[in-house]
Amino acid sequence: MMRLVGLADIVLGVTAPTNDLHARLQRLPVVVPGTVAALTRTADIIIGLMLLMLSHGLRRRKHRAWQEVMALLMISALIGLAHATYLVRHHRDMAFGVGIGFVVLVLLIAAGAYFRSEFYAVGDPRTRWRALTVLIWLLAADLLIGLGYLAAPADVPGGYSFGARLETVVNGLVGVGGPVAFSPHDARGDFFYLLMGALGFVTVIVTAHLFLRPAKVQGRLDANDAGKIRALLGRHGAADSLGYFALRHDKSVIWSATKKSCIGYRVLSGVMLASGDPIGDREAWPGAIQAFLDVAARHAWVPAVVGCSEQGAETWCRNGDLSALEFGDEAVVKVADFSLEGRAMRNVRQMVTRVCRAGYVAEVRRVGDVPADEIARLVRQAETWRGNPTERGFSMALGRIGGRGDDQCVIATATQSGVLRALLHFVPWGDDGLSLDLMRRDRSAQPGLNDFMIAETIKAAPDLGVTHISLNFAAFRAALERGERIGAGPVTRAWRSVLIFMSKWFQIESLYKFNAKFAPEWVPRFMVFTSTKDAIRVGLAALEAEAFLVWPKVEARRIMQMLRNAVKQPRQPPA
């Protein structure tokens, strides 16, 4: 409803009174509140623009959005009252329609006040990056409104190019004239520059408010929570290979009332996304799940879980009235059963042999046994191999190497003639397991180097007291495997074709084939969400969390560093 009101305000404000479209839309005040007359067109457009911005928060039942919408509607009601009074005195034939629109507007305000309890959600955690996002959207809306006004034939003389009109709109936002010329005594030109100036003023004020207000820092794991999580992992860490990844610094944590269980999560695009199973005593899982759902309901977030086990999915669905979908498998290698012998391991065996003959040497150690300066050097070297500056990972990525308290992590390196060529990092999975966290290599290194390093890590596992290792997650593994079998149905084959096509961007097939080479045990993993209508939204949030979907943003620090480097760079003398 608010979107309809906002659009009506903008369209009626931009469209000229003499335009046929405006004449038809002028009937809207009778049934749609928010637009009263052309005399207050600038105020209508500003109010309409703000209502459009707030409609999303209103749909998510945000209490602050409800308060701001009520304030805007009251302002619109006051404008309507003043204009209705004027029309009663001077234009009695129009007063009836505007009066009805004003009455409906008052009824809408009364209804909003009556249902105020329905808008219970508190605000989301915020940073100042939102100010940049709002600035971009407001500028886009300002340009569309200005160009829409100049596109109306009754408002502007013809013969001006799009570039001239765009320049006029941009200049108008800062109070400067442009190439488009109105008649000296034409009030439409005065209205255009008044409108553009008002839009520019509102854009600056709103952006400045969002930037200068105290920023609520996004959820970060503090030292106290991290210590408690490590204590739980020490007692129950063997239950889930993803448990240690709850110690990522960019995750928040929800605790059960007894503090015997917790859930790590992030909030992205209105989705409260957890990963893996709850950590801690399984009897305390329902308490942590209920606390998680209560926080999601309080903020009107969509609760969801990615990568939980079958038992975890059953617990979530039973205690949270949620739905589960199997969307992939985790590859787990049993150290005692692994061998490079046999026909099935021929490909891996050949790769390992070639790498060994090329002079590569592997070393597998606990992080606590590696000097800090060596770890720093390894990390710096591995950073130079990255082709994409975006760090991927959420459910199966720790995001650091050699952090405080990570002494039981395992780091595997491969060198050739003393030069580092590849690095693997594993996190603990209970007392006798490892879970793959990071895998990087020099792009110019020997093919099959990753196969060699995993094989060497498995070979060194008994000395580390490790009996099982979790490798990469394979999304939709069962569908890929069934789709390539003889006798697979047309639907299965079509779904496999879609997955192979998507593998061009998300490495679905390549990860499955890489994991399958080590003959692992496949452990199903599930996605849990509220309902089918939220599945796409949850999927996009999961892709964003794993950094497969990265929204464009301005990296201020990187730009400032580039500027500093440019200033420090000495000038070359003229030839």
Side-chain angles (χ1 to χ4, degrees), residues 26 28 100 137-138 220 330 356 468 495 523 566:
Q26 192 64 33
L28 281 178
I100 293 179
W137 281 107
L138 282 177
R220 294 292 186 269
E330 177 186 10
C356 289
H468 47 276
W495 177 226
V523 180

Side-chain angles (χ1 to χ4, degrees), residues 488-508:
V491 176
T492 304
R493 290 184 179 275
W495 177 226
R496 180 176 180 274
S497 299
V498 172
L499 293 176
I500 291 176
F501 176 76
M502 294 173 59
S503 297
K504 296 179 180 179
W505 297 279
F506 300 116
Q507 299 181 338
I508 298 174

Side-chain angles (χ1 to χ4, degrees), residues 155-438:
D155 277 336
V156 110
Y160 290 99
S161 64
F162 175 80
R165 294 170 187 262
L166 180 62
E167 182 180 351
T168 302
V169 171
V170 174
N171 290 350
L173 291 174
V174 295
V176 181
V180 176
F182 293 87
S183 300
H185 303 289
D186 192 348
R188 291 170 296 187
D190 296 335
F191 170 73
F192 171 77
Y193 286 108
L194 173 64
L195 172 63
M196 289 295 99
L199 288 174
F201 178 77
V202 169
T203 299
V204 171
I205 291 298
V206 171
T207 304
H209 167 70
L210 294 176
F211 183 79
L212 296 176
R213 68 177 177 173
K216 294 182 180 179
V217 180
Q218 295 282 4
R220 294 292 186 269
L221 193 68
D222 59 36
N224 183 39
D225 284 332
K228 294 179 181 178
I229 292 176
R230 291 184 188 278
L232 287 181
L233 289 173
R235 296 191 297 269
H236 307 282
D240 186 15
S241 63
L242 274 63
Y244 200 88
F245 297 115
L247 292 169
R248 281 179 62 99
H249 292 318
D250 60 356
K251 285 186 177 180
S252 299
V253 63
I254 290 287
W255 292 90
S256 65
T258 61
K259 303 297 182 182
K260 293 182 179 180
S261 180
C262 67
I263 298 173
Y265 72 92
R266 282 184 63 190
V267 178
L268 299 111
S269 303
V271 176
M272 189 176 181
L273 188 66
S275 61
D277 293 340
I279 302 172
D281 188 350
R282 289 182 178 177
E283 294 184 358
W285 283 10
I289 290 174
Q290 189 57 53
F292 182 90
L293 296 176
D294 289 343
V295 172
R298 182 167 175 258
H299 291 83
W301 291 332
V302 176
V305 187
V306 59
C308 62
S309 68
E310 185 172 2
Q311 183 175 9
E314 290 177 354
T315 307
W316 276 99
C317 293
R318 183 173 59 251
N319 293 275
D321 193 22
L322 304 176
S323 301
L325 173 68
E326 182 180 347
F327 78 113
D329 296 86
E330 177 186 10
V332 178
V333 175
K334 300 295 184 180
V335 173
D337 299 335
F338 181 80
S339 174
L340 291 177
E341 302 300 326
R343 185 177 181 84
M345 300 299 294
R346 179 182 178 184
N347 185 29
V348 177
R349 184 170 62 251
Q350 290 177 345
M351 287 291 185
V352 171
T353 301
R354 291 173 185 172
V355 172
C356 289
R357 289 176 179 174
Y360 287 84
V361 177
E363 188 175 13
V364 183
R365 296 170 288 175
R366 294 281 184 184
V367 168
D369 298 331
V370 183
D373 57 343
E374 182 179 352
I375 289 180
R377 178 177 57 81
L378 295 175
V379 171
R380 287 195 301 268
Q381 181 65 33
E383 287 289 326
T384 63
W385 300 333
R386 292 174 59 184
N388 190 335
T390 301
E391 184 69 54
R392 287 198 171 102
F394 167 69
S395 58
M396 296 185 70
L398 187 61
R400 64 180 184 271
I401 298 177
R404 179 178 297 179
D406 294 335
D407 292 348
Q408 292 304 305
C409 293
V410 171
I411 188 168
T413 57
T415 58
Q416 184 185 36
S417 301
V419 178
L420 182 68
R421 304 305 296 273
L423 180 148
L424 300 186
H425 186 254
F426 299 84
V427 300
W429 174 13
D431 295 330
D432 59 351
L434 294 176
S435 186
L436 180 61
D437 166 38
L438 184 69

Side-chain angles (χ1 to χ4, degrees), residues 112-136:
Y114 179 78
F115 292 104
R116 63 176 298 178
S117 60
E118 298 295 325
F119 302 95
Y120 53 82
V122 299
D124 294 347
R126 61 180 182 258
T127 66
R128 291 190 173 90
W129 280 112
R130 189 187 174 195
L132 177 61
T133 304
V134 171
L135 174 62
I136 293 173

